[in-house]
């Protein structure tokens, strides 16, 4: 009987510890869109902290994403999608237990590629 009560006590402590860790995590959500307002499907959203990628998700068919399971802290969010320039949003604060809504202000511009024009003469 004592072993049984001890096991229940240990199980309760483990459960409480896991609940408190879960309650401390937070996240961000929003919409990645193009200049014309349409959502960008399958965009990659990566949370970075101290130069390391912490967690990555992809947007749905409407450009909507939710990135959860982040520890309390300040993150940089990196946005990337095929055919678009990359985007970076710095200083995004995440607080435990909250999912911060970034809205639809995450705009990626179409990738124009690189063009280099050199003026001058060529000598042989």
């Amino acid at each position: 009987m004592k072993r049984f009560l001890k096991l229940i006590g240990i199980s309760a402590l483990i459960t409480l510890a896991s609940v408190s860790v879960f309650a401390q995590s937070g996240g961000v959500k929003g919409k990645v869109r193009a200049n014309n307002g349409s959502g960008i499907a399958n965009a990659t959203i990566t949370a970075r902290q101290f130069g390391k990628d912490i967690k990555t998700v992809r947007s749905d068919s409407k450009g909507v994403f939710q990135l959860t399971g982040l520890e309390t802290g300040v993150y940089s969010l990196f946005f990337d999608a095929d055919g678009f320039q990359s985007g970076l949003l710095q200083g995004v604060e995440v607080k435990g237990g909250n999912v911060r809504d970034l809205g639809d202000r995450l705009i990626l511009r179409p990738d124009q590629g690189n063009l280099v024009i050199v003026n001058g003469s060529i000598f042989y």
Side-chain angles (χ1 to χ4, degrees):
M1 184 67 169
K2 285 184 182 181
R3 278 188 171 174
F4 179 71
L5 290 175
K6 196 175 198 180
L7 228 78
I8 289 177
I10 291 171
S11 296
L13 285 175
I14 291 172
T15 302
L16 286 174
S18 65
V19 167
S20 69
V21 167
F22 180 74
Q24 291 176 356
S25 68
V28 293
K29 67 180 181 177
K31 180 179 181 179
V32 181
R33 63 184 182 93
N35 285 341
N36 64 7
S38 63
I40 300 174
N42 212 28
T44 302
I45 301 92
T46 302
R48 293 181 177 165
Q49 194 174 46
F50 307 116
K52 293 184 180 180
D53 292 354
I54 304 299
K55 191 166 186 181
T56 300
V57 296
R58 291 200 178 265
S59 63
D60 66 12
S61 61
K62 296 179 182 177
V64 176
F65 72 93
Q66 185 162 337
L67 182 60
T68 57
L70 299 175
E71 299 282 327
T72 297
V74 179
Y75 294 84
S76 294
L77 298 179
F78 180 76
F79 303 90
D80 191 35
D82 289 340
F84 292 88
Q85 295 177 355
S86 299
L88 179 66
L89 182 60
Q90 295 180 322
V92 178
E93 186 174 2
V94 173
K95 295 183 180 178
N98 294 322
V99 176
R100 183 174 176 181
D101 189 356
L102 301 175
D104 66 350
R105 61 188 175 104
L106 306 169
I107 301 169
L108 296 181
R109 296 185 183 356
D111 188 1
Q112 300 292 320
N114 293 327
L115 176 64
V116 178
I117 300 173
V118 178
N119 289 323
S121 300
I122 299 175
F123 297 97
Y124 291 98

